[in-house]
């Protein structure tokens, strides 16, 4: 089949583009291809989701699947990863082998976490059983981290706000609180480190640069 506009991606950039097209009078068909199966997700809310400040329903700033795609007349191919894009022949191929001819294509596939070349790290991220290493870019990973943290803290004593009582570190008497290592002191890294600490974990924040927020803060500000 030939489609007027193919959008590869399902994050904020893709959603904003779709919304802007419809708001500015674009009336032709839009087909959106995603490697996930949920509405556009805001990864900046992942830390609040992990800590329980907000429920999962609130991490979709454009609304749920029906609300967003129906309102903007989008044919959403959720869970259909694009594996090949032939710009010369205007043809895209999805993981299941389906092919689509298009008139125009917008690639808005978003960012991927920067994974340092630490031996064993990529293998740990790919584990499916007993996994203890996560990123927080995708909703799937964020929910997996949330579930793991909750299981680790299940036996601990926490206050009504989810934090350990004053003077304690979130573990039963005679036990040490679970430990967490956060690699990378960006805004996301600092936020998730603070969230895990407030939930009762003992947190070690690791950054290869000499101060936190290396890409966004002056060293003096970062020190404060």
């Amino acid at each position: 089949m030939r489609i007027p506009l193919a959008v590869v991606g399902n994050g904020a950039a893709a959603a904003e583009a779709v919304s802007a097209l419809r708001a500015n009078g674009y009336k032709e068909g839009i087909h959106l291809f995603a490697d996930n199966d949920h509405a556009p997700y805001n990864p900046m809310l992942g830390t609040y989701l992990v800590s329980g400040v907000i429920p999962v329903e609130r991490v979709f700033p454009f609304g749920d699947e029906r609300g967003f795609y129906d309102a903007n007349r989008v044919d959403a191919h959720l869970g259909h990863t694009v594996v090949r894009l032939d710009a010369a022949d205007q043809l895209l191929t999805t993981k299941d082998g389906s092919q689509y001819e298009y008139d125009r294509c917008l690639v808005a596939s978003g960012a991927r976490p920067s994974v340092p070349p630490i031996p064993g790290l990529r293998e740990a991220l790919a584990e499916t059983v007993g996994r203890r290493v996560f990123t927080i870019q995708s909703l799937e990973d964020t929910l997996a981290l949330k579930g793991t943290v909750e299981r680790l803290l299940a036996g601990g004593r926490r206050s009504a706000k989810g934090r350990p009582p004053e003077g304690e570190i979130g573990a039963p008497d005679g036990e040490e609180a679970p430990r967490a290592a956060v690699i990378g002191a960006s805004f996301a890294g600092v936020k998730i480190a603070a969230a895990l600490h407030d939930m009762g974990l003992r947190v070690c924040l690791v950054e290869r640069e000499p101060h936190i927020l290396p890409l966004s803060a002056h060293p003096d500000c970062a020190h404060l």
Side-chain angles (χ1 to χ4, degrees):
M1 62 181 297
R2 189 171 188 90
I3 55 182
L5 174 63
V7 177
V8 180
N10 192 35
E16 289 285 4
V18 167
S19 299
L21 283 164
R22 291 308 190 200
N24 285 277
Y26 184 81
K27 299 185 183 303
E28 295 188 69
I30 299 176
H31 287 245
L32 181 145
F33 297 84
D35 60 0
N36 54 51
D37 60 358
H38 53 73
Y41 161 69
N42 182 358
M44 295 304 293
L45 298 176
T47 55
Y48 304 108
L49 178 59
V50 170
S51 61
V53 173
I54 62 174
V56 67
E57 292 79 15
R58 289 187 56 192
V59 298
F60 305 112
F62 300 91
D64 61 18
E65 290 93 336
R66 181 175 297 278
F68 176 72
Y69 302 124
D70 286 358
N72 290 283
R73 305 186 308 281
V74 174
D75 290 303
H77 304 262
L78 302 182
H80 286 71
T81 305
V82 175
V83 296
R84 188 171 186 271
L85 184 66
D86 187 330
D89 290 335
Q90 295 174 275
L91 183 70
L92 64 82
T93 306
T94 57
K95 192 173 183 179
D96 64 0
S98 300
Q99 293 189 318
Y100 301 83
E101 293 182 286
Y102 61 84
D103 293 327
R104 292 180 174 84
C105 181
L106 171 65
V107 178
S109 51
R112 289 287 185 268
S114 177
V115 179
I118 299 172
L121 182 56
R122 292 184 184 274
E123 291 80 2
L125 283 168
E127 290 178 353
T128 57
V129 179
R131 184 177 170 195
R132 291 294 182 91
V133 180
F134 309 89
T135 65
I136 55 169
Q137 183 68 25
S138 71
L139 177 60
E140 180 184 27
D141 251 17
T142 302
L143 290 174
L145 172 61
K146 176 180 174 63
T148 296
V149 171
E150 289 175 347
R151 286 192 294 273
L152 288 173
L153 292 172
R157 287 183 292 162
R158 290 177 287 176
S159 68
K161 293 184 178 180
R163 302 184 182 189
E166 186 175 355
E168 299 184 16
I169 54 175
D173 292 337
E175 295 183 16
E176 186 178 83
R179 294 176 178 267
V182 177
I183 301 175
S186 63
F187 273 117
V190 170
K191 284 176 63 180
I192 195 65
L196 295 174
H197 166 79
D198 289 347
M199 292 174 74
L201 278 75
R202 300 181 66 182
V203 182
C204 178
L205 180 64
V206 182
E207 170 58 52
R208 66 183 177 183
E209 300 300 328
H211 60 84
I212 67 170
L213 309 177
L215 298 178
S216 56
H218 186 280
D220 291 348
C221 294
H223 176 72
L224 295 173

